[in-house]
Amino acid sequence: MATSMRRGGSEHQVALLARYLPRELFDVHLYLSDREGELLADLPADVCIHSPSRRCETTSLWDRLPGTILRRQACEFAGIVRREQIDVIYDRAFHNTMIAGHPSIQATLRNHGVRRVSTIVSPPHEALPMVEKRFVWAKRRLLAGAYRRSDQVIAVSRAAADSAASYYGLPREQIEVIYNPVETIAEIKSEHRFANHDPLRIVCVGRMTPEKGQADLIAAIGCLRGKWPANLPRLQLRLIGDGPDRAALEQQWSRLAGEDGDVDGHLVEFVGVVSPAIPEIAAADALVLPSRFEGMPNVVLEAFAVSTPVLATRSGGTVELQAVAHEPTCFWVPTNDPDALATGLRELASSPETRRLHVQTAHALIRSRHSVAATVEKMSAILCA
């Protein structure tokens, strides 16, 4: 189960599983809340796709009563499970968990011997109030019950697991941590790619919403005014993505840049959606992740895979992308702190040798802990249990 096949991190992970689960063990079906997104084209032809019917949409005043549409979606979903003789459900996002774990269909699932495996992709104490603006208390209670009824709960990081145990009151031993895999691992870039040139090309990839922190990054560029060493290259920041905050972010940059269109030669460009974004990451001199919270950021894994240096906030599970304290994989800064981000950008620009060492360490990390083959093997064992 997934919300859609847009190019989000969680959707990408679902697409990976759909492609690589061994067909001698699995007949793969995919339930999408919204049947749309660029990743639909990447799914194998043998994946059977399901989505809610129009009768699950709001059609009357009665449908506006809290929980009515969700209950209807759950009942229709249970019908799909019965009809297709599904043995195990893998609900990836909490919207899916509210459907598959709805109390009204649990007896039906048990009677048909259906197991459920649920995944927590972000620290819920931050993610749920950020995403769900209405009836958060009720959805928290519903999700707590749904996760308790799961046969197995998976978290993509220790941070997400610890948050779920506290926020939902789950036994910590019920939650297994399985890190997100990354598919493509390129050779480390040649040495000349780590030499400074002007401008230094920086990318930030993500949906433009408050938790992704682009506002902090733009503010950090503003903090560089009058403080950038003359011997360092200027920055050219490319913001890749779209979302509800884009207009506000463009206005924020316009106010900072003024008539000159830059801040002491530093530029910000709003690129929009680039799909896939990994060629942009590979072509950049560095990737910046300014997020305020994360479960396990795929864009950082992708940057590691194509040997692009990373500046990241210590947001949730992101810090787990450094396995050994004295072997850093990124330039690290605190969350919600534009001044610290500005300092991190100066450090990144002034330390080409450190960037090269980070890339080597990051490459070793993803080869040892984030391979697709190892993750699919673990997931297959859980789904077949």
Side-chain angles (χ1 to χ4, degrees), residues 134-166:
R134 303 174 66 226
F135 308 112
V136 175
W137 63 272
K139 291 170 182 175
R140 177 181 179 180
R141 184 176 178 182
L142 179 65
L143 282 164
Y147 287 123
R148 289 192 196 101
R149 288 187 291 271
S150 297
D151 294 276
Q152 177 68 61
V153 178
I154 295 169
V156 299
S157 63
R158 293 191 302 273
D162 293 342
S163 172
S166 174

Side-chain angles (χ1 to χ4, degrees), residues 267-291:
L267 297 170
V268 173
E269 181 183 0
F270 290 81
V271 179
V273 175
V274 177
S275 181
I278 199 160
E280 288 274 352
I281 298 172
D285 297 303
L287 175 133
V288 179
L289 182 91
S291 297

